[in-house]
Amino acid sequence: MASIGPNELFFLLQGLKWTLALTVIGFIGGGVFGLCVALARVSESALVQRATAGYIAVFQGTPLLMQLFVVYYGVALLGLNVDAWIAVAIAFTLHASAFLGEIWRGGIQAVPKGQTEAANALSLHYISRMKDVVLPQAFKIALPATIGFLVQLIKGTSLAAIVGFVELSRAGQIVSNQTFRPLTVFALVGLIYFLICWPLSLWGTGVERRLQTATR
């Protein structure tokens, strides 16, 4: 039974690096597309609303694991040889865009209608109305839920190992197979996840509490 030395710890940190990179790419990419989804969900076009509602339903109603499989093997069926890293990044971006889009849609609709009516009275066009009046308030309202989803996204990156992507959980499995110390290795992996996710959860709880206090 081998011990866990500097080389094994370094390998876990390499896996952590890819976990964080995948989270950042998925969250930023999902944020960009999610904003488009949120705006489409509150558009005046019933067709656009129904189309984006269907898009959200697909990703919220299916497991992330299945989404990873579909993107990874679906792209291969199109004759494209895509690296696991790219396929996983695409899957997480699509997944995040659906959830963030719905979260931010709720934030937009939670902004008091008087704010939009005042912006209309000032003859602000759509972009200025959204950019300067609605979205800043909507993002503030939706911040706790957005942080909560970020925590779930970090933990969800562990599923990327199913298509051969070596992130923190997969790195832990490899080290466990080499050292025959699964309990120690995965306790360490769990501790790393906890140290990342717990402060974010506390932040989200604090933001939610401040928002509730401000609205009283």
Side-chain angles (χ1 to χ4, degrees):
M1 185 177 293
S3 61
I4 301 175
N7 291 335
E8 287 74 21
L9 293 176
F10 178 75
F11 189 73
L12 289 177
L13 292 178
Q14 288 292 104
L16 173 61
K17 178 185 71 174
W18 291 115
T19 289
L20 296 177
L22 182 57
T23 301
V24 170
I25 291 174
F27 190 76
I28 293 177
V32 171
F33 289 106
L35 178 58
C36 297
V37 170
L39 294 176
R41 287 283 287 123
V42 297
S43 72
E44 297 179 355
S45 171
L47 178 61
V48 173
Q49 288 185 22
R50 285 196 293 268
T52 49
Y55 173 83
I56 291 171
V58 168
F59 284 95
Q60 288 191 343
T62 57
L64 176 56
L65 183 63
M66 192 200 78
Q67 295 165 21
L68 288 166
F69 269 122
V70 169
V71 172
Y72 183 70
Y73 293 107
V75 171
L77 288 175
L78 296 176
L80 300 175
N81 186 17
V82 177
D83 186 75
W85 162 249
I86 297 176
V88 168
I90 293 173
F92 272 85
T93 296
L94 295 174
H95 176 80
S97 69
F99 279 84
L100 290 176
E102 188 66 3
I103 289 171
W104 294 343
R105 187 273 309 164
I108 291 172
Q109 293 183 331
V111 174
K113 290 185 178 180
Q115 300 288 330
T116 304
E117 293 172 354
N120 290 331
L122 293 172
S123 300
L124 294 179
H125 55 77
Y126 177 79
I127 295 178
S128 293
R129 187 168 69 245
M130 282 294 176
K131 179 172 67 71
D132 300 324
V133 179
V134 177
L135 289 180
Q137 298 179 73
F139 286 144
K140 183 178 180 180
I141 293 170
L143 184 57
T146 302
I147 296 172
F149 174 74
L150 175 59
V151 172
Q152 296 302 316
L153 190 66
I154 293 170
K155 293 186 288 187
T157 57
S158 62
L159 296 175
I162 201 69
V163 295
F165 187 77
V166 182
E167 40 63 62
L168 180 58
S169 294
R170 175 58 178 159
Q173 184 180 16
I174 293 173
V175 171
S176 173
N177 292 338
Q178 291 175 342
T179 60
F180 301 102
R181 292 179 178 270
L183 185 60
T184 303
V185 172
F186 282 105
L188 181 58
V189 169
L191 177 62
I192 294 173
Y193 276 115
F194 178 78
L195 292 176
I196 297 171
C197 296
W198 185 55
L200 289 173
S201 297
L202 289 179
W203 179 34
T205 302
V207 170
E208 185 176 15
R209 188 179 298 116
R210 286 193 294 271
L211 286 175
Q212 290 175 346
T213 302
T215 55
R216 289 176 181 174

